[in-house]
Amino acid sequence: MNTPHLTELGQQLRVDSVRAAAAAGSGHPTSSMSAADLMAVLLARQLRYDFERPSHPGNDGFVLSKGHASPLLYAAYKAAGAIDDSELLTFRTLGSRLEGHPTPRRLPWVETATGSLGQGLPVGVGIALSGKRLDRVGYRVWVLCGDSELAEGSVWEAAEHAAYENLDNLTVIVDVNRLGQRGPTRHGHDLDAYARRFQAFGWHTVEVDGHDVEDIERAYGEAVSTAGQPTVVLARTLKGKGVASVQDREGLHGKPLPDADEAIEELGGVRDLRVEIQQPPAARMLHAVRAGHLDLPRWETGDEVATRDAYGQALAALGSSRADVVALDGEVSDSTRAEFFAKEHPERFFECYIAEQQLVAAAVGLATRGWVPFASSFAAFLTRAHDFVRMAAVSGTGINLVGSHAGVSIGEDGPSQMGVEDLAMFRAVHGSTVLYPCDAPQTAALVATMAGLDGIRYLRTSRGAMPVLYGPDEEFPVGGSKVLRRSTDDRLTVVAAGVTVHEALKAADALAADGIAVRVVDLYSVKPVDRETLREAAEQTGCLLTVEDHHPEGGIGDAVLDAFLDGRPTPRLVRLAVRDMPGSATPAEQLHAGGIDAESIVASVKLLVENAVVR
Amino acid sequence: MNTPHLTELGQQLRVDSVRAAAAAGSGHPTSSMSAADLMAVLLARQLRYDFERPSHPGNDGFVLSKGHASPLLYAAYKAAGAIDDSELLTFRTLGSRLEGHPTPRRLPWVETATGSLGQGLPVGVGIALSGKRLDRVGYRVWVLCGDSELAEGSVWEAAEHAAYENLDNLTVIVDVNRLGQRGPTRHGHDLDAYARRFQAFGWHTVEVDGHDVEDIERAYGEAVSTAGQPTVVLARTLKGKGVASVQDREGLHGKPLPDADEAIEELGGVRDLRVEIQQPPAARMLHAVRAGHLDLPRWETGDEVATRDAYGQALAALGSSRADVVALDGEVSDSTRAEFFAKEHPERFFECYIAEQQLVAAAVGLATRGWVPFASSFAAFLTRAHDFVRMAAVSGTGINLVGSHAGVSIGEDGPSQMGVEDLAMFRAVHGSTVLYPCDAPQTAALVATMAGLDGIRYLRTSRGAMPVLYGPDEEFPVGGSKVLRRSTDDRLTVVAAGVTVHEALKAADALAADGIAVRVVDLYSVKPVDRETLREAAEQTGCLLTVEDHHPEGGIGDAVLDAFLDGRPTPRLVRLAVRDMPGSATPAEQLHAGGIDAESIVASVKLLVENAVVR
């Protein structure tokens, strides 16, 4: 393809973007038109991709960070022969693969779902890390960003990460069309403003006219030949380029063109150019090699072990057994105990420093290449990455997230360090699994299990040591629970998880001494919950008392309800949870002040018995 | 105070930090010792603060972004005479005001809770914005950061915001002690690496030896005299400075010194220097002036209005009535309709561009100076600021957050733009209020009401137009609900909010035509819920069917349970919510695919009636 052909291809991508949005009656054609020439040159000159084999390990990665420019992406797929023209025109309709913002859930060529701005580059860094440090098969990663989204801090977490890791296999193309949704960006067409920032973060920068295909071609070549650092191509473009009535004008974001037919004519009419995409080099997936036997650590009943320690040990063991397991941490691996993995498998450990959005994004990127990432930080700080977790679920990506220092039971550090809303956050994620172990063997077993699940898997660990309750060969299926105390005289059922399991057991013993029998359920699988056991407990005891080291909303108290939502009779429900804002205090004082220790459970049960609320 | 005195003051702050942590048996003395000289010079030479009047409008702002260095802050309070030595030694004990990480909930001189790194500067920018654009009383804002936390993207959102707004009343002091929690930072003692980054973002930078008080003094002077841009003072320091056994060593983060007595001796022993803090200039609070009558917009029953439009109009009216109301938006004000406020009150509108963490942090900063901020973005994108919302609740700050485009009912844009976990997120925030109006008058009334509440107030608005149900003088107390259909024959109660209220009404009419009476409750106050009405509905109809445009977890279905958590009999519960991952489709198709439209409600009710689940 020569220069005039490239220009023509750019025009075709514009025309098809206009057509798709016109057919849909919505969408973002003007944001597609600004980047059309950038995309045309990438397709024809640089991208190496086998559309027949989207999981080819040698495929380049392409991430459309400005996901609203989806018409451009789909127009490119058409030009590459991956979809046909009639499918292009199904854009944004019910059942179409061509959604308003692209997702890999529906389209196999999409690396990661975009549409929440500032996420494409962070995930792209994860893919490039995979290529540079693990796969080593020579693929490149291309990320097309908008200029508006450079205001997101996550972009700068990613910029820092990429430069520090010398990701010269990563190129970011910024479509600087100067207009955001609501009006001009902070820096307009000042490419230098962006160049200064990227250079300061350690990047190579190239500034180009984003509508001059030869200029673009040179810039991409420079990016590819730059060693030791990532490159950003800053392209001056015009929103709505090529159609005078919309070009470079405000107030036209996210709207089909006023007169599509006229615009298509102005753009030179419909074309049907096909572009031959370069094939990727032969490559094999390194992580397809599995090691085999899993030798999980073992503990004796009664040992005092923190579940975060068990996590670190189990993950290190899992890493020895499975060559596809990788770990990431946000500069707290000595606390989360991810350091145990880091010490045994340094080549598969990724230090992400204090940048939780990048931590989760890098995990998502690694997962796109088949790795099984475990990313850890304090449970409280994973809230920082909520939007990335949400988008990972939109992608359908499988990642493991581990939040340590859950709950008020961490003690003196106070509320800023306490994860007391993490269960609510992770339960509400589509298709998530939420696990909360109370002892070391349970933790280890769940770590091994979660690695094989789909979607977002969340493990909640605790800071303090807790006695080992279970034997080394006990099984803990996801969606299960353990009944730790049971009799035919149970007056109610205490449902606990994690640290409160131990409080519940102490309470049950104290109550038994007073002649009050209670059932105790260890609800280690918070989502999905063990409906059968909860229903049986409801039928047999009539009342569920939930006790959780978490705010009252969205945690275990709400989770148990899932067993009763089909209209069946609901048991009486009583909830003990952290209702006040904690201060500093010892772990025991915190549990007591929070009303979730054994004493509080005993008092609550006695009150229910005295008031004849329970039978 | 001359130079030797300043050095002595620095040593006293070190000694007191060591003593506080030793008394507590935990805490971060080494992180306090690195910044002691920086703090000493600030206290003695620059800070203007009336400790007797923490709400003095002329007080400088000081934010300890590295909140774990709280021993240093409390040692400074002691040196300033705000607390005595015996209180210093209550550090981290139950009931003490001196928490592991400082919070304004307990200490009046703390501007904002810190302890989640990377938040101090963003909030400091909000305070400085208040000083520069609103209060105009000449106070300065000082933020003391760690070097590790500069990896957080939120720092760069703030850096961008501060430079763009020319906040020359803001100085950031970075304690570059080269050691994070787990080991060295990315850039170690390379001050130039940080300087390049801040300069690229438009800041004035000064590099100093952070243990040379004269050097520090000059740097602060340079910061104060720099016009038109914020200044960062990058200070080379040593963690654990002054005690050879810990100085500049790894593995000693967050631990009391091994031998406190020996360390105190090495530091020259206990001192009792008092520093006279400069008084702030006389100033008055501009926003103490209120305008008076509130003239909310009015609509006719049956008009079709989107609640986001009603929000924008009501906020503009509120801004005319109350001079203390300010608005912020994340570059989507044309969608959230915050632009209505921006047009009428441009001097009180803050464009934060696409940086949701900074959006919320700026709101928190403005609130510390008595302003009543309303910050808006898409509901989905407020997840980006989850950790900032969490920390605002730890602070006890009062802010209003508004999430538009809630739910699948937005239509074609697809899941990346749909807020379907926002209710779960905001309900689980400590002390929050969660409101979800279904029509324009309800929205307007709630906007006016929420401005006067405490804590985090969340309003969820919808994209599409919906018919006006209520008259202009209807009242909507927080914690209330509206019963829209009721009879003595009601077979069950449909509990809805927002867009599903309209579906529930349609369903009730269709069911009535088939001889099935159902009650319909508009649960506009999702937290707190109207316990009385829900309990009455439970007693009279026996079953609650909740219908929500949200994931099944943590939303309205869980919220209704709050009326039954004291062990009373629980009604049967059935939940309609968005269980599958949506694609692109029209709003009506989305509601149907999600199983939350009128047809789905009718089908569910009929199934319950046929199976005799309801009476």
Side-chain angles (χ1 to χ4, degrees), chain B residues 212-409:
Chain B
D212 178 333
V213 293
E214 290 183 351
D215 207 16
I216 297 167
E217 196 170 354
R218 272 192 300 273
Y220 291 171
E222 188 173 325
V224 169
S225 63
T226 298
Q229 62 184 156
T231 296
V232 58
V233 175
L234 295 160
R236 185 186 192 281
T237 63
L238 298 176
K239 203 161 174 171
K241 164 75 179 175
V243 176
S245 62
V246 299
Q247 183 173 302
D248 201 31
R249 296 208 180 175
E250 290 187 41
L252 293 164
H253 181 94
K255 291 173 186 164
L257 264 53
D259 188 328
D261 290 337
E262 202 178 289
I264 293 164
E265 204 183 307
E266 190 177 342
L267 291 165
V270 176
R271 295 160 181 82
D272 194 19
L273 297 172
R274 263 296 297 282
V275 57
E276 275 310 313
I277 307 294
Q278 294 175 62
Q279 287 295 301
R284 71 188 183 91
M285 288 205 222
L286 287 176
H287 48 73
V289 186
R290 301 276 155 97
H293 182 69
L294 172 59
D295 196 12
L296 283 178
R298 295 170 81 88
W299 297 269
E300 298 295 317
T301 311
D303 282 358
E304 297 260 334
V305 187
T307 53
R308 60 176 171 143
D309 284 307
Y311 164 69
Q313 292 179 253
L315 187 65
L318 189 67
S320 300
S321 154
R322 290 182 61 157
D324 57 353
V325 167
V326 299
L328 310 89
D329 194 88
E331 220 275 314
V332 287
S333 57
D334 53 334
S335 288
T336 61
R337 306 306 199 215
E339 68 177 8
F340 297 164
F341 180 98
K343 277 173 190 152
E344 288 195 33
H345 313 286
E347 74 291 355
R348 280 184 275 143
F349 178 75
F350 297 84
E351 177 57 71
C352 297
Y353 296 89
I354 307 182
E356 294 79 10
Q357 297 185 89
Q358 183 56 31
L359 169 73
V360 172
V364 170
L366 287 161
T368 67
R369 294 285 163 160
W371 302 98
V372 178
F374 282 75
S376 50
S377 183
F378 281 30
F381 305 144
L382 290 178
T383 56
R384 201 69 160 250
H386 190 166
D387 198 29
F388 283 78
V389 174
R390 182 181 76 83
M391 289 299 295
V394 171
S395 284
T397 308
I399 54 171
N400 304 283
L401 297 171
V402 181
S404 72
H405 293 64
V408 300
S409 49

Side-chain angles (χ1 to χ4, degrees), chain A residues 170-255:
Chain A
L170 173 68
T171 305
V172 173
I173 305 157
V174 185
D175 174 25
V176 186
N177 66 22
R178 94 168 178 89
L179 290 173
Q181 169 177 324
R182 147 237 61 92
T185 60
R186 278 194 180 112
H187 303 295
H189 269 138
D190 182 2
L191 299 188
D192 289 347
Y194 298 114
R196 281 194 299 274
R197 287 161 173 75
F198 275 101
Q199 283 163 13
F201 276 73
W203 286 55
H204 181 64
T205 65
V206 193
E207 300 179 31
V208 300
D209 174 347
H211 301 308
D212 178 333
V213 292
E214 290 182 349
D215 206 13
I216 296 167
E217 196 170 354
R218 272 193 300 273
Y220 291 170
E222 188 173 324
V224 169
S225 63
T226 297
Q229 60 183 158
T231 296
V232 58
V233 175
L234 296 159
R236 185 186 191 282
T237 63
L238 298 176
K239 202 160 175 171
K241 164 76 179 175
V243 175
S245 61
V246 299
Q247 182 173 301
D248 201 31
R249 296 207 180 176
E250 291 187 42
L252 293 164
H253 181 93
K255 292 173 186 164

Side-chain angles (χ1 to χ4, degrees), chain A residues 308 311 328-338 353-357 359-360 375-386 389 401-407 409-423 425-426 458-464, chain B residues 28 68 92 101 115-117 152 181-182 253-254 387 390-391:
Chain A
R308 59 176 171 144
Y311 164 68
L328 310 91
D329 194 89
E331 220 275 313
V332 287
S333 58
D334 53 335
S335 288
T336 60
R337 306 306 199 216
Y353 296 88
I354 307 182
E356 294 79 11
Q357 297 185 91
L359 170 73
V360 173
S376 50
S377 183
F378 282 31
F381 305 144
L382 289 179
T383 56
R384 202 70 159 250
H386 190 166
V389 174
L401 298 171
V402 180
S404 73
H405 293 66
S409 50
I410 64 163
E412 291 83 353
D413 271 338
S416 65
Q417 318 294 301
M418 294 169 173
V420 280
E421 50 286 290
D422 55 321
L423 294 177
M425 170 177 145
F426 281 106
Y458 177 58
L459 183 80
R460 185 185 216 222
T461 67
S462 304
R463 177 172 181 267
Chain B
H28 299 74
H68 54 285
R92 284 177 166 247
H101 298 76
S116 179
L117 291 169
E152 285 284 9
Q181 168 176 325
R182 147 237 60 93
H253 181 94
D387 198 29
R390 182 181 76 83
M391 289 299 295

Side-chain angles (χ1 to χ4, degrees), chain A residues 26 28 92-95 99-101 103 105-106 114-119 148-149 151-154 156-157 160-161 164 180-187 193 196-197 200-202 331-335 351-357 380-381 383-384 386-388 390-391 393-394 412-418 420-421 424-425 427-430 527 551 553-554 557-558 561 564-575 579-585 589 608 613, chain B residues 26 28 92-95 99-101 103 105-106 114-119 148-149 151-154 156-157 160-161 164 180-187 193 196-197 200-202 331-335 351-357 380-381 383-384 386-388 390-391 393-394 412-418 420-421 424-425 427-430 527 551 553-554 557-558 561 564-575 579-585 589 608 613:
Chain A
S26 69
H28 298 75
R92 284 177 166 247
T93 56
L94 181 66
E99 294 186 76
H101 298 77
T103 77
R105 213 174 252 280
R106 317 230 172 201
T114 50
S116 180
L117 291 168
Q119 298 208 13
S148 278
E149 64 179 308
E152 284 285 8
S154 55
W156 301 100
E157 292 182 14
E160 181 81 3
H161 198 185
Y164 185 73
Q181 169 177 324
R182 147 237 61 92
T185 60
R186 278 194 180 112
H187 303 295
R196 281 194 299 274
R197 287 161 173 75
F201 276 73
E331 220 275 313
V332 287
S333 58
D334 53 335
S335 288
E351 178 57 69
C352 296
Y353 296 88
I354 307 182
E356 294 79 11
Q357 297 185 91
F381 305 144
T383 56
R384 202 70 159 250
H386 190 166
D387 197 30
F388 284 77
R390 181 180 77 84
M391 289 300 295
V394 171
E412 291 83 353
D413 271 338
S416 65
Q417 318 294 301
M418 294 169 173
V420 280
E421 50 286 290
M425 170 177 145
R427 282 184 63 242
V429 171
H430 178 77
K527 180 186 176 188
H551 284 162
E553 301 86 5
D558 285 346
L561 203 61
F564 308 99
L565 287 177
D566 54 358
R568 70 179 57 220
T570 315
R572 289 171 192 260
L573 297 163
V574 184
R575 183 174 298 181
R579 291 176 193 276
D580 296 327
M581 180 60 68
S584 282
E589 287 167 344
L608 294 169
V613 174
Chain B
S26 69
H28 299 74
R92 284 177 166 247
T93 57
L94 181 66
E99 295 186 76
H101 298 76
T103 77
R105 213 175 253 279
R106 316 229 173 202
T114 50
S116 179
L117 291 169
Q119 299 209 10
S148 279
E149 63 180 309
E152 285 284 9
S154 55
W156 301 102
E157 293 182 12
E160 181 81 2
H161 197 184
Y164 186 73
Q181 168 176 325
R182 147 237 60 93
T185 59
R186 277 195 181 111
H187 303 295
R196 281 194 300 275
R197 287 161 172 76
F201 276 73
E331 220 275 314
V332 287
S333 57
D334 53 334
S335 288
E351 177 57 71
C352 297
Y353 296 89
I354 307 182
E356 294 79 10
Q357 297 185 89
F381 305 144
T383 56
R384 201 69 160 250
H386 190 166
D387 198 29
F388 283 78
R390 182 181 76 83
M391 289 299 295
V394 171
E412 291 83 353
D413 271 336
S416 65
Q417 318 293 301
M418 294 169 171
V420 279
E421 51 285 289
M425 169 177 146
R427 280 184 64 242
V429 171
H430 177 77
K527 182 186 174 187
H551 284 162
E553 301 87 3
D558 285 346
L561 203 61
F564 308 98
L565 287 177
D566 55 357
R568 71 179 58 221
T570 315
R572 288 171 192 260
L573 297 163
V574 184
R575 184 174 297 180
R579 292 176 191 277
D580 296 326
M581 181 60 68
S584 283
E589 287 167 344
L608 293 168
V613 173

Side-chain angles (χ1 to χ4, degrees), chain A residues 312-594:
Chain A
Q313 292 179 253
L315 187 65
L318 188 67
S320 300
S321 155
R322 290 183 61 157
D324 57 353
V325 166
V326 299
L328 310 91
D329 194 89
E331 220 275 313
V332 287
S333 58
D334 53 335
S335 288
T336 60
R337 306 306 199 216
E339 67 178 6
F340 298 164
F341 181 98
K343 277 174 190 153
E344 288 195 34
H345 312 288
E347 74 291 354
R348 280 185 274 143
F349 178 75
F350 297 84
E351 178 57 69
C352 296
Y353 296 88
I354 307 182
E356 294 79 11
Q357 297 185 91
Q358 183 56 30
L359 170 73
V360 173
V364 170
L366 287 160
T368 65
R369 294 286 164 159
W371 302 97
V372 178
F374 281 75
S376 50
S377 183
F378 282 31
F381 305 144
L382 289 179
T383 56
R384 202 70 159 250
H386 190 166
D387 197 30
F388 284 77
V389 174
R390 181 180 77 84
M391 289 300 295
V394 171
S395 284
T397 308
I399 54 171
N400 305 282
L401 298 171
V402 180
S404 73
H405 293 66
V408 300
S409 50
I410 64 163
E412 291 83 353
D413 271 338
S416 65
Q417 318 294 301
M418 294 169 173
V420 280
E421 50 286 290
D422 55 321
L423 294 177
M425 170 177 145
F426 281 106
R427 282 184 63 242
V429 171
H430 178 77
S432 64
T433 301
V434 180
L435 305 169
Y436 182 18
C438 70
D439 85 347
Q442 195 178 55
T443 306
L446 293 173
V447 167
T449 301
M450 68 196 285
L453 302 178
D454 289 328
I456 308 295
R457 296 86 80 162
Y458 177 58
L459 183 80
R460 185 185 216 222
T461 67
S462 304
R463 177 172 181 267
M466 295 188 285
V468 170
L469 298 178
Y470 299 104
D473 300 314
E474 185 94 24
E475 293 188 356
F476 302 97
V478 169
S481 67
K482 294 289 171 184
V483 181
L484 292 174
R485 295 282 190 280
R486 111 182 283 156
S487 79
T488 50
D489 301 323
D490 293 339
R491 308 286 287 273
L492 59 69
T493 300
V494 180
V495 181
V499 64
T500 61
V501 168
H502 303 276
E503 300 301 317
L505 291 175
K506 279 184 262 179
D509 293 345
L511 287 163
D514 287 344
I516 302 171
V518 299
R519 185 165 301 184
V520 176
V521 174
D522 168 11
L523 199 77
Y524 64 84
S525 179
V526 177
K527 180 186 176 188
V529 291
D530 183 349
R531 292 181 184 172
E532 204 173 316
T533 298
L534 291 172
R535 286 172 181 176
E536 187 190 66
E539 277 157 27
Q540 294 177 358
T541 74
C543 178
L544 304 183
L545 170 70
T546 56
V547 194
E548 58 191 308
D549 195 358
H550 186 272
H551 284 162
E553 301 86 5
I556 294 165
D558 285 346
V560 297
L561 203 61
D562 198 44
F564 308 99
L565 287 177
D566 54 358
R568 70 179 57 220
T570 315
R572 289 171 192 260
L573 297 163
V574 184
R575 183 174 298 181
L576 301 183
V578 179
R579 291 176 193 276
D580 296 327
M581 180 60 68
S584 282
T586 66
E589 287 167 344
Q590 297 281 13
L591 289 175
H592 188 66

